[in-house]
Amino acid sequence: MRAYGESVFTLTPTRHSMTTDSGTVLYVGLQRYVVALDAATGVRRWSTELPGTSLFTGFVTIHLDGAHVFAAAGGEITCLDAATGTVQWHNALEGYGFGFATLATGADAAGSTTTATEASAAAASYVTDAAAAAAAGGIAAAL
């Protein structure tokens, strides 16, 4: 039996890395932020606070796909430029609740490979379509 207030589990930051012309970059998701570090020196290259997150959003799931870092926290997802940390797009994923997210990119149902740029454009389009459908009759209309 655990004592009142004793932690049931420990969260560990998610880390991904990629090699660039100037060396390997380590991406860390932690406490509403995604941070890019030089893997050889530990020097911070950039740090981005994720939009829409709150003080209670501690765990950040990240996924590196080429030139993009996808970050999910607090039930929302953000696409960052891997080289600069600039926010490319953000989706609040309204109506889906909170919790840990699993992220993946890859082939679509027809078997063709979707690039991160194509995925970004599709996600932006989906957000617009879902908002219109939600206004017309709820989130179920968008599905």
Side-chain angles (χ1 to χ4, degrees):
M1 165 105 35
R2 290 183 180 83
Y4 178 76
E6 184 181 351
S7 179
V8 177
F9 57 88
T10 303
L11 296 179
T12 304
T14 305
R15 295 175 176 89
H16 289 275
S17 65
M18 76 180 252
T19 302
T20 65
D21 291 339
S22 57
T24 301
V25 180
L26 176 67
Y27 297 93
V28 180
L30 182 66
Q31 297 294 340
R32 304 183 331 248
Y33 286 87
V34 175
V35 181
L37 304 174
D38 183 292
T41 65
V43 172
R44 182 175 51 195
R45 293 185 177 198
W46 55 259
S47 175
T48 301
E49 183 174 12
L50 299 173
T53 57
S54 73
L55 290 174
F56 304 105
T57 307
F59 191 82
V60 178
T61 301
I62 59 176
H63 175 74
L64 177 64
D65 182 2
H68 295 92
V69 176
F70 297 95
E76 303 185 15
I77 187 164
T78 305
C79 176
L80 305 173
D81 180 283
T84 65
T86 304
V87 174
Q88 302 298 300
W89 55 261
H90 173 79
N91 185 330
L93 297 173
E94 293 181 24
Y96 291 100
F98 302 95
F100 299 113
T102 303
L103 306 176
T105 55
D108 63 18
S112 65
T113 302
T114 302
T115 66
T117 302
E118 293 166 335
S120 295
S125 173
Y126 174 78
V127 170
T128 303
D129 294 346
I139 193 69
L143 299 177

